Structures are given as C-alpha cells and as structure tokens.
C-alpha cells in the first residue's frame, strides 16, 4: 500500500514537472514576441508624452516672447506697437490659439512671433506622426527578423503569430492616422522659392575651349587651256 502510494506520488510529481516544462517551453517561444510588443508600446507611449509636453510648453513660450516684445516697445517708447502686444496678450489669455486673422500685419515684430507660433503648433503633431511611422517601420523589421528565426527553428506556430502581429501594424489607428497626416502635409507643402544665392550655386554647363571648326572651301577648279602649245603658254 505504501509502495503504491509512493509510485502514485512519483508519477504525479513527474506529470507536474512535465507540465511545468511544457508551460515554460511555450512561454519561451512567445517571449520574443512579448518583448517586442512591450518595447513598441513603451516607445509609442514616449512619443505621445513628448508631443503632449511640447504642445503644453508652446503657449508658455509664446507668452514669454510677447512679454519680452512688450518690454522692448515700452523701453523704446513706442506706444502703438506696445498697445498691439498688450491686446494680443489679452486675446491669447482668453483664446489660447493664433488664427490667421489674428496676425498683426501692422506690427512686423509681433506678426513674426505669431507666425512662428503657428508653425510650431502645426509642427508638433507632424513630428509625432513621423516618429510613429518610423517606430512602426522599425517594429515591422524586428518582427520580420523574429519570424525568420522562429521559422528556421521549426517553431511555426509562434512564427505565424508574429506574422499576424506584423500584418496588424498598418491597421492600427495611430499608424494609419500618422500616414494620412504626413501625406496631407506633403501634398499641401508650398513650392520652394529658389533664391538668387541658390541660383548662383547651380552647376553651369561646361564650356569647352575646342577650336571652332574650319569652314571647308572647295578648291577652285583648274583652268582648262586649249589650242596649240604656244597659245596655251600665252593663256597662262
């Protein structure tokens, strides 16, 4: 009876050990995919937080620039530009954005600060979109490398899971939205205006010093002399 109990206990222990080994093996096979997924999620979160931080910092920097310009006009005793800056500070405090109609065309210094702020605001989501696209491309490369390694190791089930993960990347909302944003920005990009300096830097056509081709003039036909010998001598 005791022997039977011992054998049962040993068999149960072996079964449990085999189960543990099997589970551990399955976990090892999926470990590579889980690591890549975790890394992708962490980097994506970092991109989002960086964009949020930049967006939150822009209005602060804009107000600082306006206050610096306000002090400049005050020190110079320029009343009208000073009032324009104060007006913009009040407007922005109530509505923290700068539309095209808000640009102060009559105060170039203020208009320049406003235009730079608008560009910076537009640049944040575009940079975020480009970063997400770059991350997605790198993620797909890493997945492809993992899929190849798993296939070579004859771990086809895990390789199929990795393939499905790679195929799902482009269908994710953040990736598709980023590609649309970048494509739209490129389509609406204004044509570059070539400056005079850029024109000077353009390569000029090579000038050769080869001599001009000489004009070939046909030789004059020889005069034909007729008559007797003495007459031919006189004709010459």
């Amino acid at each position: 009876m005791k022997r039977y109990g011992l054998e049962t206990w040993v068999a149960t222990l072996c079964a449990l050990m085999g189960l543990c080994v099997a589970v551990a093996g399955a976990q090892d096979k999926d470990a590579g995919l889980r690591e890549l997924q975790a890394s992708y999620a962490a980097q994506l979160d970092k991109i989002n937080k960086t964009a949020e931080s930049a967006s939150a910092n822009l209005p602060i920097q804009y107000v600082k620039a306006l206050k610096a310009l306000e002090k400049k006009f005050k020190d110079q005793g320029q009343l009208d530009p000073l009032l324009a800056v104060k007006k913009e500070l009040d407007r922005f405090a109530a509505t923290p954005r700068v539309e095209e109609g808000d640009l102060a065309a009559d105060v170039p210094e203020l208009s320049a600060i406003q235009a730079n702020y608008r560009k910076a605001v537009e640049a944040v989501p575009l940079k975020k979109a480009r970063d997400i696209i770059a991350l997605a491309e790198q993620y797909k490369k890493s997945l492809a490398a993992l899929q190849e390694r798993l296939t070579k190791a004859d771990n086809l089930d895990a390789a199929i899971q990795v393939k499905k993960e790679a195929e799902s990347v482009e269908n994710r909302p953040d990736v598709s939205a980023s590609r649309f944003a970048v494509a739209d920005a490129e389509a609406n990009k204004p044509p570059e205006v070539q400056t005079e300096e850029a024109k000077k830097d353009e390569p000029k056509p090579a000038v050769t010093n080869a001599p001009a081709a000489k004009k070939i003039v046909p030789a004059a036909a020889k005069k034909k002399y007729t008559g007797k010998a003495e007459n031919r001598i006189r004709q010459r």
Side-chain angles (χ1 to χ4, degrees):
M1 186 70 177
K2 291 182 179 180
R3 182 180 178 184
Y4 175 77
L6 179 61
E7 291 177 351
T8 303
W9 182 83
V10 171
T12 303
L13 180 60
C14 291
L16 289 174
M17 290 179 63
L19 179 61
C20 291
V21 171
V23 171
Q27 289 177 345
D28 290 340
K29 292 177 181 179
D30 297 336
L33 177 57
R34 289 200 309 274
E35 289 176 2
L36 289 179
Q37 289 173 327
S39 176
Y40 177 81
Q43 293 181 65
L44 181 61
D45 183 61
K46 182 179 179 181
I47 291 173
N48 288 327
K49 288 182 177 178
T50 299
E52 291 174 3
S53 177
S55 296
N57 189 52
L58 285 177
I60 299 173
Q61 298 301 321
Y62 180 63
V63 171
K64 285 183 178 180
L66 291 178
K67 287 187 176 296
L69 185 61
E70 179 187 28
K71 183 179 184 303
K72 174 185 175 182
F73 287 145
K74 180 181 177 181
D75 293 342
Q76 294 177 350
Q78 300 185 50
L79 179 60
D80 290 341
L82 175 61
L83 293 176
V85 175
K86 286 182 173 295
K87 180 180 178 181
E88 174 60 11
L89 280 167
D90 293 339
R91 185 203 66 77
F92 190 77
T95 308
R97 61 176 179 271
V98 180
E99 305 291 347
E100 188 173 358
D102 298 323
L103 299 179
D106 53 340
V107 185
E109 296 93 331
L110 174 56
S111 179
I113 293 176
Q114 291 175 310
N116 288 336
Y117 176 76
R118 282 169 54 84
K119 289 180 181 179
V121 169
E122 293 174 357
V124 170
L126 186 58
K127 182 181 184 305
K128 174 184 173 181
R130 294 186 190 279
D131 290 344
I132 289 177
I133 292 173
L135 175 61
E137 291 298 326
Q138 183 58 46
Y139 183 45
K140 288 191 294 184
K141 288 181 180 179
S142 298
L143 289 171
L146 176 59
Q147 177 184 321
E148 182 179 347
R149 290 198 303 271
L150 291 171
T151 302
K152 289 180 179 179
D154 200 27
N155 190 354
L156 301 185
D157 290 339
I160 292 173
Q161 291 300 319
V162 172
K163 181 181 179 182
K164 290 180 179 179
E165 175 71 9
E167 291 173 346
S168 70
V169 173
E170 288 298 325
N171 296 326
R172 298 183 180 185
D174 52 355
V175 176
S176 58
S178 296
R179 290 201 181 278
F180 177 81
V182 171
D184 184 65
E186 292 295 331
N188 295 322
K189 187 177 180 180
E192 295 182 359
V193 179
Q194 191 177 33
T195 62
E196 291 298 325
E197 292 297 326
K199 291 180 180 179
K200 291 179 182 178
D201 294 335
E202 283 186 347
K204 297 180 180 180
V207 179
T208 60
N209 296 322
K214 295 182 179 180
K215 186 176 180 181
I216 300 176
V217 180
K222 292 184 178 181
K223 186 175 180 182
K224 187 175 181 181
Y225 301 100
T226 58
K228 296 180 179 181
E230 59 272 15
N231 291 334
R232 289 200 299 271
I233 293 174
R234 291 195 193 99
Q235 289 175 4
R236 292 179 183 176

